[in-house]
Amino acid sequence: MTGLSFIFLILAIVLVWGGLVASAIFLARRPEVGSYPSGGTDDHREDAGIIEHDT
């Protein structure tokens, strides 16, 4: 393994695993959506029960 390929390997590992760790930290700090983007509305889907079908 050449030096250049080893640098790119380390860079790729830091990029992938760093992104995973940063995402986990972000979701731990802000698990709920604070506000929806314009045009988006909260339709209260979680208030409705589970759809049951007669089989």
Side-chain angles (χ1 to χ4, degrees), residues 16-51:
V16 170
W17 288 102
L20 177 67
V21 169
S23 298
I25 291 171
F26 179 79
L27 285 175
R29 288 186 178 174
R30 298 180 187 173
E32 297 291 329
V33 176
S35 63
Y36 291 98
S38 61
T41 59
D42 187 12
D43 58 359
H44 301 284
R45 288 185 185 185
E46 64 274 2
D47 295 340
I50 299 172
I51 298 172

